Amino acid sequence: MLIKLPKASDCHESDVTPESFYLSRRSLLGGALAGVAASSLPRWASADEASRYADVEAGRAPSWFAEKLPGTKWQAVTVKDEAITPFKDATHYNNFYEFGTGKGDPATNAGSLKTEPWSVVIDGEVAKPGRYALEDFMNPYQLEERIYRLRCVEAWSMVIPWIGFPISALLKQVEPTSKAKYIRFETLQDPKSMPGQRSSFGLIDWPYIEGLRLDEAMNPLAILAVGMYGRELPNQNGAPLRLVVPWKYGFKSVKSIVRISLVSEQPKTTWQSIAADEYGFYANVNPTVDHPRWTQARERRLPSGLFSPNVRETQMFNGYSDEVASLYTDLDLRKNY
Ligand SMILES: Nc1nc2c(c(=O)[nH]1)N[C@H]1C(S)=C(S)[C@@H](COP(=O)(O)O)O[C@H]1N2
Ligand SMILES: [Mo]
């Protein structure tokens, strides 16, 4: 069992957070910051949250987020015995082609993304369609911290402490009709703020589209995230709202979502449209089915350098078999990659 569903008795932050990335609340409040005027603290919801992870750059949280954050169910799901990737790596080694194809481009360019105000459209096969301001959209949900592995199809991986809520809770709110079989997610399309969408060499037909089967979306591990490392999402990580499905390759986890549609047919996803023989709809992490250009048997766990590549074996469903394998018993995973 690699996921620890915590009982109060066995939930220790040190289980998932290596010493170097963890400052105890007591040492922070009693030590370095004691006597510092509250107004000079970074804009955290509270000093408590600032102490969860070290070296986290403070952002400008929207007020709805700051108000919700203290009620977060911390470490609702964790990864045992694996270090959390430093914030710096998780925010400076990104794929977000709307801001360029280089790994550093999103960190450099995503400042132009305007995340407030933000609205989300819910449409298609639902009893309650609508367009919601993000703060209203988020109103029904309690935030949970979910510490998940993220495995990119390019064979690198990280461990990221997301903050979000299960998609199953959203589906309960919007009430899919009996015709709804899939859920489709659409990223913002705004060439003015997204330089990658202005590029004339682009092979991508914007906006970026992803999708899940409805039963996959209902799985308790599938979340919509609004934060990470105890703060709101940085723009380069898909602010203000993104999908996180940890048993699938990273490209399924679509960023900066503006539209969520319940549909009866399997949506055509961005990467399928680019190269259907390389990127399938399911995209479950699978060490036994190689990508044409790279093996999926192993991965580089970031931070990874020339002299310490930090290579590890890739696990079936990225280590989440116990939770998700039952979704695929009727599927040939070689054909449905
Ligand atoms: N809209 C959009 N979403 C996207 C991408 C993208 O280019 N555009 N890249 C995907 C890929 S390939 C990966 S690996 C993850 C990376 O998420 P991270 O940068 O937060 O680690 O985002 C995914 N979501
Ligand atoms: Mo990826």
Side-chain angles (χ1 to χ4, degrees):
M1 260 284 280
L2 287 137
I3 296 180
K4 208 162 68 100
L5 292 164
K7 300 187 290 275
S9 58
D10 68 3
C11 185
H12 303 297
E13 289 181 304
S14 55
D15 285 353
V16 294
T17 313
E19 285 305 305
S20 55
F21 305 132
Y22 174 65
L23 294 171
S24 86
R25 189 167 303 179
R26 217 166 289 113
S27 74
L28 185 69
L29 295 180
L33 289 183
V36 174
S39 63
S40 69
L41 286 171
R43 289 188 27 133
W44 301 99
S46 74
D48 263 19
E49 310 320 329
S51 67
R52 282 187 175 275
Y53 301 103
D55 301 323
V56 176
E57 234 176 275
R60 294 208 165 267
S63 52
W64 66 263
F65 183 87
E67 279 158 29
K68 260 184 170 337
L69 189 63
T72 300
K73 191 173 159 197
W74 298 103
Q75 300 192 16
V77 178
T78 70
V79 175
K80 214 170 158 23
D81 302 327
E82 289 175 51
I84 289 175
T85 302
F87 179 80
K88 184 91 186 167
D89 296 280
T91 56
H92 289 80
Y93 191 94
N94 299 101
N95 278 330
F96 198 170
Y97 279 22
E98 284 84 341
F99 295 101
T101 53
K103 293 287 181 276
D105 291 347
T108 306
N109 299 329
S112 55
L113 177 66
K114 193 169 169 258
T115 57
E116 243 190 312
W118 192 270
S119 60
V120 183
V121 172
I122 306 284
D123 62 3
E125 294 294 340
V126 278
K128 295 181 179 160
R131 172 189 287 270
Y132 301 88
L134 185 60
E135 56 267 36
D136 300 331
F137 175 85
M138 289 303 296
N139 193 45
Y141 313 113
Q142 187 194 3
L143 297 180
E144 290 180 32
E145 186 178 50
R146 301 290 189 97
I147 303 174
Y148 286 161
R149 297 179 203 88
L150 173 77
R151 170 59 157 83
C152 176
V153 73
E154 297 160 345
W156 52 264
S157 65
M158 307 198 201
V159 175
I160 299 183
W162 304 105
I163 295 171
F165 66 97
I167 302 174
S168 61
L170 166 68
L171 293 173
K172 204 167 148 196
Q173 289 288 327
V174 302
E175 299 173 17
T177 71
S178 59
K179 288 190 197 140
K181 298 286 182 276
Y182 294 88
I183 181 165
R184 176 186 181 279
F185 301 90
E186 191 174 308
T187 295
L188 176 69
Q189 178 161 25
D190 182 29
K192 285 195 302 302
S193 66
M194 296 176 142
Q197 293 182 339
R198 299 197 291 265
S199 150
S200 45
F201 321 90
L203 37 134
I204 297 183
D205 187 14
W206 307 105
Y208 194 102
I209 305 293
E210 260 306 336
L212 298 171
R213 231 168 47 191
L214 204 54
D215 60 337
E216 296 181 305
M218 290 293 291
N219 186 278
L221 288 180
I223 61 166
L224 285 166
V226 291
M228 62 195 256
Y229 296 83
R231 51 159 283 173
E232 78 283 4
L233 284 175
N235 286 359
Q236 61 266 39
N237 295 91
L241 180 74
R242 71 171 294 173
L243 181 65
V244 180
V245 273
W247 70 96
K248 294 177 177 283
Y249 292 120
F251 66 83
K252 296 295 289 183
S253 291
V254 43
K255 296 176 168 180
S256 304
I257 295 168
V258 292
R259 184 175 172 202
I260 300 175
S261 311
L262 279 293
V263 293
S264 55
E265 304 288 330
Q266 184 176 299
K268 183 109 175 135
T269 69
T270 292
W271 284 100
Q272 270 183 308
S273 309
I274 295 168
D277 53 335
E278 297 187 19
Y279 308 102
F281 176 79
Y282 284 94
N284 292 314
V285 174
N286 187 341
T288 70
V289 177
D290 285 340
H291 180 275
R293 279 177 284 126
W294 44 74
T295 172
Q296 297 297 10
R298 283 169 296 280
E299 64 201 57
R300 284 182 304 122
R301 173 62 54 86
L302 301 185
S304 148
L306 198 53
F307 301 108
S308 55
N310 204 10
V311 171
R312 51 171 71 217
E313 308 269 291
T314 291
Q315 304 173 71
M316 189 64 202
F317 298 118
N318 205 21
Y320 299 101
S321 291
D322 287 353
E323 290 75 16
V324 303
S326 63
L327 292 167
Y328 308 107
T329 43
D330 296 337
L331 212 60
D332 178 347
L333 294 174
R334 294 207 149 265
K335 291 201 189 100
N336 298 281
Y337 49 84

